[in-house]
Amino acid sequence: METLFACCIGFLTACGVFLMLRGRTFPVVLGLTMLSYAVNLFLFSSGRLTLRGAAVLGTSEQYADPLPQALVLTAIVIGFAMTAFLVILAIRARADLGNDHVDGKLPESELSKKESR
Amino acid sequence: MTLMWILLLPLLGTLVPLLAAKWNRSACALATALPPAIALMLVLLHTEQVLSGNTVRFFLSWIPLLGLDISIRLDGLAYLFSLLILGIGLLIILYARYYLSERDSMPRFYAYLMLFMTAMLGIVLSGNLLQMWMFWELTSISSFLLISFWWHKAEARRGARMALTVTGAGGLALLAAFLLIGQVVGSYDLDVVLASTDVIQQHSWYPILLVLFLLGCFTKSAQFPFHFWLPNAMAAPTPVSAYLHSATMVKAGIFLLARFYPALSGTELWFILVSLTGLATLLIGAYLALFKHDLKGLLAYSTISHLGLITLLFGMGTDLAAVAGVFHIINHATFKASLFMAAGIIDHESGSRDMRKLNGLWQFMPITATLAMVAAAAMAGVPLLNGFLSKEMFFAETLHQHLLGSLSWVIPVLATVAAIFSVAYSMRFIHDVFFNGQPKGLTKTPHEPPRYMRVPVEVLVALCILVGIFPAYLIGDLLHAASASVLGGAVPEYSLAIWHGFNLPLMMSILALAGGTLIYVNRKHLFDFQNTLPDMDTLNSFERSVKSLIARCDQFYQWLDNGSLQRYMVLVLLAFIVLAGMPLLELDTLWGGRDELPIDAVNATGAAMLLIAAFATVVWHRKRVVALLMISVVGLMVSIAFTRFSAPDLALTQLSVEVVTVILLMLALFFLPHKTPKQSEAPRVVRDISIASMVGVLVGSLSYALMTRPLSSISEFFLANAKTGGGGTNVVNVILVDFRGFDTMGEIAVLGIASLGIFKLLTRIPVFKPSSDGEGRPWATERHSLLLSTVSQSLLPLAIMVSVYIFFRGHNLPGGGFIAGLITAVAIILQYIAQGVDWVKERMNVEYQRVVAIGLLIALFTGVASWAFGKPFLTSWFDYFDIPLLGEIELASAIAFDLGVYITVVGSTLLILASLGKMTTSHRPVHKDTI
């Protein structure tokens, strides 16, 4: 199971990184979201995988590590706040600058393409 | 404490001239002179103690862990320099009163001067290396301000910049040297450092730290090859040249050589570096001084030469040479300061400093001329004046050194050559200016200066003569005490008599006087030869090289920081690949010895869905709505994974956050294009895919390596104490609200700040109204669906009830403030979606910023409340109560804290979504007929 879990984390990371390297804001936001899934799973997995062992006292004999869970819980909420901030920033940038490129301006190759059209 | 006041008085004195600006000039000067005068008296109070060989100390611990202390230390050397700084400083204040014209801002000048005085006193009185360095930098800065005092002149600005660049760079080298010394010795305390000679010199860093240290000293003291800044600093008003650039600041480097003489000197490297630099500077300065037509230029090069002489003395390594060095510091300060002031008087009263124009001034200003001639004679080393004595000692020492092995005889010969030139330029100063015919082309008729402008020169010249005639009586004790602190105790036998019989040093002096006269008489040939050499314009070439350096840095910066986020990301990711990959390469095997869990069908299906959805997101990322749907599947699978692997709290949180995120991104798509144009070229895609796969492989491997290693965690503590210490059985929640409550507090603060930032970003956003989607289809104009609004209304109380339940059970079962907050927020957002902003606003008119603030304040006060019970911040308390109907209930202060979390989460989420949602409604086209 650990192998599969690690594969999932690795794949999510790769997808997230690829999307974050795109030039437009929305895919970057998606990439960031994807990357934070991967990061959260990674942090969570540092407490090792446990089946049927929720860290609620008196419910089982073997408890999962509660500390990474507590950290990931806040990480999820803060991740949401950051994603939201980023999205609004992207909207604001689009409104102020007239395009949704991450650099705030279209690269020259694209501008020349537009002109030739 | 009186020691502290020696430093504080001049510092406070920087304010005095500014406050006294309204009074007349004399009163302002007098007021300015008061604090240093008192400080001088305070120094003199310690005379007896210091001269009997004691060190007076004042210590105030500041940040002992970093070795930062306020430490003041007055020993013989510091005493000598304090006298020079304060004494000459007072004379300069008097002199500047008459030197500055009505147009110059006298308060500003005096303020800078006092700042410099403080800095200089700080260097000499510091008992802590870092503190000393701070004052060292302060002298560079105040010198910059003083050189550029006439900032309307280009040469003043450029000269000031050059001086700051050179001495500032040296200051950095010195800081590095001090840090290294601090590392080697383990303390920044001067006494400790001076007592650790062997530790420092036997350390492998000694060569590096010595070179850095000497770089600091040599740049400050204008030693070759850093001497070029000093002549250009002559653009400063003459009082500044007299004070900073001859008597005090340029001596700071020499002071440092003397100060660290016990700790750093005595090695082969020290001898070679210090003595050869000193010798080169001595010769070059003396030679070039002869050819300067500018009075101050001549004096500047002469200063360089004399500084070289002192450096050479400290480099020779004999105890007597060090004594001679200290002696020459005193003598040079007196005669050179008086010469500069005399040059200033000549400039002031005749309108020129050019020796080709200034001739025959004797007839116009006989008194000044006499004074200047005596001082110049002292500079030349004429007997019965102080310069003669230290020069004799210098000659004697050059004969006793063995620095260059069998070639050591070269040094006395070169010293005599330098002395010959020194006599020649002194003669030029005297003869060209005061005799040699009549003045040519002066703009005004020269005359004697105001009476009191001459007083400082008179005082210093009197000192030159008195010290020259009664050396032992006047400064014997002072010299002894200062030398004792330079040598770290034992002072060798020496005699300060004028007459030592006919010996070799006297012969050298006579030779210098004769040779100097000869050269001066035949100077025409030498000038002709010098004119054939190309003229070095140091100021311009320095400016050019600085400019080209800046241009090159700028180019590099433009290349590095080209404004492309994608490029930064690539660089960061490449760095990550290298940094994370290296340790993995060293790992023998990824598997850490822990048995894996078996894979069952549910897990396999979940994983497959997750992988497919993630892949689909990437493939369809240019169709944004589709990608959004796909990524929500990934999120759902992640929350299922949390459920599966015993993290119910995480699953609940992830699920509710997922809902909110998708709504948010949907709203965002209203303002953003729905499709991403195809943009990346194929090579770019290949590059990105390879980077992404490498990062993915690394993270995956890391995670596998981590998961298969045995767990040793601090969580045992939380599991054992959750019930007994925190009063709850849901350990995750207890950690959040109790054990790590302070972290949670910070996290909700981040959440609140993010939402407020969003609120601010959305106010006054330039109106951008898309009236259709990306493909030109107009937005739907239907009002809210009846079905949805009916269902959502009835859902609201249910959802609120669920969230209250989740909130209360959170301490013992999965749930808590975060999750309950998200559920409440989702329920309210559903109302927005189903009924519209206006409908909700009519019924629930709440400003969400306030909600966020209230939530944060509740959390904060819960924490603060524990102070009332004498406990540390956020200490929790709980007890059990038997309440009718509800049964036994546990009440914990952590519940109040969790309430704060709950309210903050609700407020923040709604603030974000409602602010954005409101905009979509206000911009949506309204069709009147459908209402």
Side-chain angles (χ1 to χ4, degrees):
Chain A
M1 192 61 230
E2 274 80 355
T3 317
L4 189 61
F5 201 87
C7 285
C8 289
I9 291 177
F11 190 72
L12 281 183
T13 312
C15 292
V17 167
F18 179 80
L19 287 175
M20 278 171 65
L21 288 171
R22 298 302 92 211
R24 302 299 170 135
T25 49
F26 195 76
V28 172
V29 172
L30 289 186
L32 202 70
T33 314
M34 191 92 92
L35 192 68
S36 49
Y37 291 147
V39 170
N40 287 342
L41 285 177
F42 181 86
L43 287 179
F44 171 68
S45 78
S46 72
R48 312 299 184 268
L49 302 182
T50 316
L51 290 170
R52 287 174 292 281
V56 177
L57 297 179
T59 54
S60 62
E61 285 167 7
Q62 185 72 41
Y63 298 116
D65 194 342
L67 188 62
Q69 293 193 15
L71 294 180
V72 171
L73 200 151
T74 47
I76 293 172
V77 180
I78 289 190
F80 162 68
M82 287 300 113
T83 310
F85 191 82
L86 204 64
V87 167
I88 307 297
L89 203 61
I91 292 173
R92 178 86 206 208
R94 167 99 198 274
D96 282 350
L97 303 168
N99 66 69
D100 69 335
H101 198 275
V102 283
D103 298 340
K105 55 179 190 284
L106 294 176
E108 272 160 35
S109 56
E110 219 163 305
L111 281 176
S112 56
K113 227 185 281 170
K114 230 176 218 174
E115 274 161 25
S116 63
R117 236 177 253 166
Chain B
M1 196 58 211
T2 48
L3 280 184
M4 193 73 202
W5 279 108
I6 299 176
L7 263 185
L8 284 179
L9 276 169
L11 185 63
L12 293 175
T14 52
L15 297 176
V16 172
L18 301 174
L19 295 174
K22 276 177 287 179
W23 307 345
N24 69 43
R25 288 159 64 88
S26 298
C28 181
L30 204 64
T32 310
L34 204 60
I38 301 172
L40 183 62
M41 262 152 39
L42 291 178
V43 174
L44 290 173
L45 277 182
H46 294 94
T47 307
E48 210 167 318
Q49 268 178 297
V50 173
L51 291 192
S52 57
N54 293 321
T55 303
V56 195
R57 290 186 180 85
F58 171 79
F59 188 82
L60 203 69
S61 198
W62 183 33
I63 310 176
L65 270 179
L66 294 177
L68 284 172
D69 298 306
I70 295 170
S71 167
I72 301 180
R73 182 178 181 282
L74 183 70
D75 62 355
L77 189 64
Y79 177 80
L80 165 65
F81 267 90
S82 304
L83 287 189
L84 285 178
I85 294 161
L86 288 165
I88 298 183
L90 283 170
L91 295 178
I92 294 289
I93 291 174
L94 173 60
Y95 180 80
R97 149 72 183 85
Y98 293 96
Y99 181 86
L100 293 177
S101 74
E102 295 286 341
R103 274 166 293 139
D104 299 323
S105 161
M106 203 163 76
R108 189 162 64 93
F109 182 83
Y110 278 147
Y112 292 164
L113 203 69
M114 298 306 286
L115 182 68
F116 169 76
M117 194 186 276
T118 314
M120 199 62 210
L121 281 172
I123 295 181
V124 301
L125 291 174
S126 283
N128 179 292
L129 265 55
L130 297 173
Q131 182 195 335
M132 186 186 282
W133 183 80
M134 187 197 78
F135 285 115
W136 177 274
E137 290 297 281
L138 200 57
T139 57
S140 295
I141 293 166
S142 48
S143 146
F144 171 80
L145 292 171
L146 282 166
I147 299 172
S148 60
F149 180 71
W150 286 324
W151 43 266
H152 51 273
K153 292 186 188 168
E155 54 166 14
R157 295 196 302 267
R158 296 162 88 185
R161 270 207 301 272
M162 183 196 262
L164 184 68
T165 314
V166 176
T167 55
L172 286 181
L174 187 70
L175 176 64
F178 278 176
L179 292 176
L180 287 178
I181 292 176
Q183 289 292 313
V184 170
V185 178
S187 166
Y188 291 109
D189 190 77
L190 188 61
D191 287 310
V192 182
V193 171
L194 293 186
S196 321
T197 314
D198 292 338
V199 181
I200 297 176
Q201 298 194 353
Q202 277 156 22
H203 200 279
S204 57
W205 289 351
Y206 174 71
I208 307 169
L209 71 85
L210 182 65
V211 168
L212 288 169
F213 172 81
L214 291 178
L215 273 177
C217 297
F218 290 168
T219 48
K220 198 74 153 190
S221 284
Q223 296 295 298
F224 178 80
F226 309 110
H227 62 284
F228 55 87
W229 71 264
L230 189 58
N232 289 310
M234 291 299 141
T238 303
V240 175
S241 310
Y243 191 37
L244 273 71
H245 304 126
S246 74
T248 53
M249 189 182 94
V250 288
K251 297 262 170 50
I254 306 242
F255 167 81
L256 227 56
L257 285 181
R259 176 94 286 174
F260 288 87
Y261 191 81
L264 297 176
S265 77
T267 60
E268 193 78 359
L269 193 63
W270 169 282
F271 292 145
I272 298 293
L273 287 176
V274 178
S275 64
L276 290 187
T277 309
L279 189 62
T281 315
L282 168 67
L283 281 168
I284 292 172
Y287 178 75
L288 290 177
L290 184 57
F291 303 102
K292 293 293 150 190
H293 300 304
D294 179 12
L295 266 183
K296 281 174 79 178
L298 183 148
L299 291 177
Y301 277 100
S302 146
T303 305
I304 292 174
S305 161
H306 280 272
L307 292 169
L309 188 151
I310 304 172
T311 307
L312 173 58
L313 278 169
F314 281 114
M316 285 198 219
T318 59
D319 290 355
L320 267 177
V323 176
V326 175
F327 192 23
H328 201 66
I329 290 176
I330 309 175
N331 294 337
H332 179 251
T334 47
F335 68 66
K336 194 51 69 63
S338 56
L339 277 173
F340 264 113
M341 287 198 244
I345 290 177
I346 294 167
D347 185 13
H348 202 251
E349 308 306 342
S350 69
S352 172
R353 295 196 319 235
D354 192 331
M355 276 187 278
R356 286 166 298 191
K357 293 183 187 170
L358 294 167
N359 292 315
L361 289 189
W362 168 266
Q363 40 189 322
F364 301 105
M365 39 171 78
I367 305 176
T368 310
T370 314
L371 293 170
M373 276 150 61
V374 174
M379 173 164 78
V382 173
L384 291 184
L385 294 168
N386 58 357
F388 171 72
L389 295 172
S390 44
K391 220 162 216 184
E392 285 286 278
M393 286 169 93
F394 165 63
F395 285 146
E397 283 317 302
T398 57
L399 294 169
H400 294 144
Q401 47 73 35
H402 309 283
L403 291 177
L404 304 177
S406 60
L407 284 179
S408 298
W409 61 272
V410 174
I411 292 183
V413 171
L414 290 177
T416 314
V417 170
I420 289 173
F421 276 100
S422 169
V423 171
Y425 67 66
S426 303
M427 286 186 98
R428 185 170 181 222
F429 185 92
I430 295 172
H431 187 255
D432 266 18
V433 176
F434 298 115
F435 306 103
N436 202 19
Q438 292 294 320
K440 292 173 211 141
L442 289 186
T443 47
K444 53 182 177 182
T445 314
H447 54 84
E448 283 286 350
R451 178 70 194 86
Y452 288 104
M453 190 172 184
R454 224 166 45 212
V455 168
V457 191
E458 287 165 356
V459 171
L460 290 173
V461 169
L463 276 176
C464 289
I465 300 172
L466 289 175
V467 171
I469 300 176
F470 311 108
Y473 181 69
L474 263 177
I475 55 161
D477 291 340
L478 179 60
L479 182 58
H480 187 274
S483 308
S485 44
V486 173
L487 297 171
V491 181
E493 282 293 314
Y494 60 90
S495 153
L496 278 179
I498 309 168
W499 179 250
H500 287 110
F502 280 106
N503 52 11
L504 213 45
L506 188 64
M507 294 299 136
M508 288 161 82
S509 279
I510 293 170
L511 191 64
L513 287 172
T517 318
L518 202 66
I519 287 196
Y520 180 68
V521 172
N522 297 307
R523 64 188 183 280
K524 219 171 153 24
H525 305 292
L526 208 57
F527 271 77
D528 289 342
F529 167 71
Q530 187 66 18
N531 282 339
T532 57
L533 297 177
D535 199 23
M536 286 263 286
D537 186 358
T538 48
L539 199 56
N540 275 327
S541 51
F542 181 80
E543 285 275 315
R544 262 200 306 280
S545 50
V546 167
K547 266 186 191 146
S548 76
L549 183 68
I550 291 175
R552 235 168 278 154
C553 291
D554 213 34
Q555 266 175 3
F556 174 74
Y557 186 69
Q558 294 287 342
W559 169 81
L560 190 72
D561 179 24
N562 67 348
S564 162
L565 181 74
Q566 285 166 289
R567 184 196 163 117
Y568 302 154
M569 295 268 245
V570 169
L571 291 179
V572 170
L573 289 168
L574 287 178
F576 167 80
I577 290 171
V578 172
L579 291 178
M582 296 293 260
L584 278 178
L585 288 180
E586 286 168 18
L587 215 59
D588 290 330
T589 159
L590 217 47
W591 186 62
R594 200 165 174 268
D595 288 329
E596 293 198 26
L597 295 172
I599 301 180
D600 56 22
V602 182
N603 291 346
T605 321
M609 283 177 72
L610 181 113
L611 292 175
I612 292 168
F615 188 65
T617 313
V618 172
V619 171
W620 285 325
H621 79 265
R622 296 198 292 119
K623 294 178 183 156
R624 295 182 170 179
V625 182
V626 183
L628 181 55
L629 290 178
M630 286 301 129
I631 206 169
S632 65
V633 175
V634 179
L636 195 67
M637 286 302 125
V638 171
S639 46
I640 289 176
F642 285 140
T643 329
R644 194 71 190 155
F645 297 108
S646 322
D649 287 282
L650 291 192
L652 283 171
T653 316
Q654 181 72 61
L655 204 60
S656 23
V657 162
E658 205 50 46
V659 174
V660 186
T661 309
V662 171
I663 296 172
L664 174 80
L665 292 180
M666 285 290 234
L667 279 173
L669 275 182
F670 178 75
F671 294 97
L672 293 170
H674 294 189
K675 290 213 166 137
T676 311
K678 191 171 171 65
Q679 175 200 355
S680 305
E681 315 282 333
R684 167 67 68 93
V685 174
V686 171
R687 182 195 78 176
D688 290 353
I689 288 179
S690 14
I691 289 177
S693 350
M694 273 193 279
V695 175
V697 165
L698 277 178
V699 172
S701 316
L702 212 59
S703 148
Y704 179 78
L706 190 69
M707 278 188 287
T708 53
R709 272 163 178 72
L711 175 68
S712 72
S713 162
I714 55 169
S715 299
E716 293 304 320
F717 170 82
F718 298 123
L719 289 168
N721 290 291
K723 181 76 181 164
T724 50
T729 52
N730 181 6
V731 187
V732 176
N733 185 269
V734 176
I735 290 176
L736 282 177
V737 297
D738 192 335
F739 291 126
R740 310 291 306 159
F742 204 51
D743 291 357
T744 310
M745 174 115 180
E747 276 143 7
I748 54 173
V750 172
L751 191 65
I753 291 166
S755 64
L756 288 178
I758 287 167
F759 177 66
K760 201 67 204 152
L761 272 178
L762 286 177
T763 46
R764 300 218 199 138
I765 189 166
V767 180
F768 175 77
K769 291 182 185 171
S771 57
S772 60
D773 74 352
E775 275 152 28
R777 288 178 300 235
W779 294 116
T781 52
E782 287 85 26
R783 298 299 297 172
H784 306 285
S785 119
L786 184 64
L787 199 64
L788 185 60
S789 54
T790 318
V791 173
S792 69
Q793 271 189 51
S794 50
L795 264 179
L796 183 64
L798 273 173
I800 300 280
M801 209 172 74
V802 168
S803 67
V804 170
Y805 171 67
I806 294 257
F807 175 81
F808 276 110
R809 75 170 209 167
H811 216 46
N812 292 315
L813 288 167
F818 275 115
I819 300 161
L822 285 166
I823 293 174
T824 309
V826 170
I828 296 174
I829 285 165
L830 189 62
Q831 306 308 309
Y832 275 101
I833 294 173
Q835 319 276 3
V837 174
D838 299 331
W839 188 90
V840 180
K841 205 165 182 183
E842 271 171 33
R843 286 156 184 80
M844 197 178 77
N845 196 2
V846 185
E847 280 187 51
Y848 295 119
Q849 323 63 304
R850 285 170 196 271
V851 179
V852 175
I854 290 168
L856 283 172
L857 284 176
I858 290 178
L860 186 70
F861 281 125
T862 320
V864 173
S866 30
W867 284 347
F869 300 97
K871 296 277 172 56
F873 187 66
L874 270 175
T875 308
S876 72
W877 157 94
F878 67 92
D879 208 343
Y880 298 93
F881 294 92
D882 202 9
I883 293 174
L885 286 178
L886 288 173
E888 194 189 58
I889 271 207
E890 180 223 332
L891 280 181
S893 66
I895 294 271
F897 182 75
D898 219 9
L899 184 69
V901 173
Y902 169 82
I903 294 176
T904 312
V905 171
V906 173
S908 303
T909 315
L910 287 176
L911 183 58
I912 294 169
L913 289 175
S915 311
L916 189 57
K918 201 157 61 191
M919 288 181 34
T920 60
T921 1
S922 62
H923 293 160
R924 195 173 298 164
V926 177
H927 289 239
K928 292 240 162 62
D929 49 29
T930 56
I931 296 177

